[in-house]
Amino acid sequence: MGEKKRKERDNGKSGFACFCITVFDELWYLVKLNLLFLVGCVPIVTIPMAFTAALRVTSLLAQERRLPLWKTFRKAYLGEWKRALPCGWAFALLQALAGFGVFAYGMMMQENPLALLPLLAALVIFAVLVVAGLYFHSMLAMCELSLADMLRNAFILAVSEGWRNAAALLALVACGLIAVLLFPATLPLTIFLLPALGMLAASFAIRRGLGCCMRSWEERNGETE
């Protein structure tokens, strides 16, 4: 379906409806993206690069733009590796520490109810870090802001976008939990669809905030030309 026809058809529909229609229309495209993402993650150390590249594709789909998959993925995968690798693993380390805090305080809750407050604090920190990482990698893939601007915008959006961030976090966590808790029954679904589906849902959820950053960058870039 052409981009113009899709925009006319999707005009006035909710974000969730547009997401469902996109999944239906682009299912084979998403399957190929999922396989490409998993191949890009094979060395393990390159996971942030693959995440950034996959988010470029899903962010474009959320904006109703469908570009050639291999060319789009490869450009972001190789073009942003110098920033994606260190920053991606820094986010992953912080998220792991916050996740361990959630686990540790959750265990302490069995014996000490006062652990509820640090547990909630660890949950909030974990959620903010996950969503900020999602914004950061999406901006890294979509616009040429400085590293400081991307990090600042990522954390501002992570605490200001409310229910949209909750929807993005829910999509990512739900796909991860389905893959892990129902393993090995969900192994084929994980290989062929789940990661790409989760990233597409998250991209739909955060497209408003990401769009604001992109418009700001485009306006700034236009002024300097």
Side-chain angles (χ1 to χ4, degrees):
M1 181 177 292
E3 182 176 328
K4 183 177 180 180
K5 289 183 179 179
R6 179 185 295 169
K7 287 183 178 180
E8 291 174 354
R9 179 205 63 191
D10 292 347
N11 187 34
K13 295 185 182 297
S14 68
F16 179 72
C18 290
F19 164 73
C20 294
I21 293 169
T22 301
V23 172
F24 180 79
D25 286 346
E26 306 293 354
L27 186 59
W28 176 236
Y29 188 82
L30 289 171
V31 168
K32 292 187 290 183
L33 171 62
N34 204 77
L35 293 172
L36 197 55
F37 169 72
L38 293 179
V39 170
C41 291
V42 167
I44 297 179
V45 71
T46 58
I47 289 176
M49 296 164 57
F51 189 53
T52 300
L55 281 173
R56 174 168 176 80
V57 177
T58 58
S59 295
L60 289 169
L61 284 176
Q63 296 172 14
E64 301 169 349
R65 298 169 58 193
R66 185 185 187 276
L67 299 184
L69 178 59
W70 167 245
K71 182 179 179 180
T72 305
F73 187 93
R74 183 187 51 148
K75 181 179 179 181
Y77 186 86
L78 297 176
E80 294 296 344
W81 71 270
K82 290 182 180 180
R83 293 191 290 183
L85 280 180
C87 294
W89 283 111
F91 268 108
L93 176 61
L94 293 173
Q95 290 161 8
L97 290 173
F100 177 76
V102 173
F103 172 78
Y105 288 119
M107 296 295 292
M108 291 174 59
M109 273 284 295
Q110 299 177 6
E111 299 180 358
N112 185 3
L114 293 178
L116 176 61
L117 290 178
L119 172 61
L120 293 176
L123 276 171
V124 170
I125 292 171
F126 176 77
V128 169
L129 286 170
V130 171
V131 176
L134 178 62
Y135 277 112
F136 172 79
H137 284 282
S138 298
M139 283 186 279
L140 187 62
M142 296 297 290
C143 52
E144 298 178 4
L145 292 170
S146 68
L147 183 60
D149 284 341
M150 282 191 287
L151 288 171
R152 182 181 66 251
N153 290 341
F155 280 100
I156 291 173
L157 291 169
V159 298
S160 65
E161 284 298 293
W163 66 268
R164 294 181 179 87
N165 291 341
L169 183 63
L170 179 62
L172 293 176
V173 171
C175 287
L177 287 178
I178 290 171
V180 173
L181 297 180
L182 300 181
F183 183 86
T186 55
L187 182 59
L189 191 59
T190 301
I191 292 174
F192 290 106
L193 189 60
L194 270 181
L197 192 64
M199 285 185 280
L200 179 63
S203 293
F204 264 93
I206 70 167
R207 62 179 175 175
R208 178 180 176 274
L210 182 62
C212 291
C213 290
M214 291 183 63
R215 283 193 295 273
S216 175
W217 170 74
E218 288 171 353
E219 291 171 359
R220 185 186 309 175
N221 194 47
E223 291 174 357
T224 57
E225 290 181 352

